[in-house]
Amino acid sequence: MSTPSSSLLWGFFSLHIIGGHILIPILLILSFVRKNVTRNYVFINFCITWILYSITFCFLLYAGEQTGPKPHWNICRTQAALVYAVPILVASASCALVFQLWLDIPYLLLSVAACGLEIAQPSNPVRIIIAACGPLVVFAVFGTNPALYTFSKPNSSTNSYASLRTSRSTDTKRNTAP
């Protein structure tokens, strides 16, 4: 018989595996297979960030240490460092995609108004590079602090958040946001 928390844990992992390990990779493969349809790099970056998000939250599942005693130090610390940084990566990639769509909609509306004629959109490689690489830069900046913290505190692992291991200081006075 499963407890409610273990049911939630397996539901959590199931959603990550179905969405981030199966469906989004299928979407990316299909977008690369169709050569006559061009996909924006920002959209591809968006999909890749969601795959990384799912992989990050499944580290302990891959190691078989999602329940039970304290997991191996390296796996626990790596996941703890990424758990704090990957949501920022996904949020900035989502914002970049929304911004890219906001800039593309006027050309789409002109194309529809012109009875389906293809209206050439001026390509701006600087904008595409910033929108595709910007989330990775934000991830590197915001991921450095949690990584340094979790690897410098070897005895700070506790069970929390749907039985996933995260890094916390036992001293509550120093456990504040950076």
Side-chain angles (χ1 to χ4, degrees):
M1 186 169 147
S2 65
T3 63
S5 64
S6 68
S7 298
L8 289 174
L9 181 68
W10 290 110
F12 177 80
F13 286 131
S14 298
L15 289 173
H16 276 289
I17 291 170
I18 291 169
H21 294 70
I22 297 169
L23 295 178
I24 295 177
I26 288 173
L27 177 66
L28 279 177
I29 290 168
L30 291 176
S31 69
F32 288 129
V33 169
R34 296 285 309 248
K35 296 295 181 190
N36 59 345
V37 177
T38 58
R39 299 285 183 242
N40 194 311
Y41 294 112
V42 179
F43 172 73
I44 293 169
N45 185 40
F46 172 78
C47 292
I48 290 171
T49 60
W50 275 102
I51 292 171
L52 290 173
Y53 184 83
S54 292
I55 290 171
T56 297
F57 278 94
C58 291
F59 273 170
L60 291 175
L61 178 68
Y62 299 150
E65 298 179 5
Q66 70 276 9
T67 58
K70 199 175 203 180
H72 189 268
W73 187 85
N74 290 334
I75 295 169
C76 186
R77 297 299 177 246
T78 303
Q79 182 177 17
L82 290 173
V83 158
Y84 291 115
V86 169
I88 295 169
L89 173 67
V90 170
S92 58
S94 300
C95 288
L97 181 65
V98 168
F99 182 69
Q100 182 70 31
L101 289 173
W102 180 66
L103 293 175
D104 288 346
I105 285 178
Y107 297 102
L108 176 65
L109 293 177
L110 285 175
S111 176
V112 170
C115 300
L117 298 174
E118 196 66 32
I119 307 259
Q121 177 182 1
S123 64
N124 188 345
V126 173
R127 183 181 80 197
I128 292 174
I129 290 171
I130 290 172
C133 296
L136 298 174
V137 171
V138 170
F139 172 71
V141 168
F142 282 94
T144 303
N145 191 20
L148 292 175
Y149 178 78
T150 58
F151 283 100
S152 69
K153 307 280 186 200
N155 296 323
S156 62
S157 177
T158 61
N159 294 345
S160 69
Y161 186 68
S163 297
L164 295 177
R165 274 60 170 191
T166 58
S167 177
R168 290 190 185 186
S169 174
T170 55
D171 182 12
T172 57
K173 293 176 186 174
R174 294 194 304 164
N175 190 16
T176 58

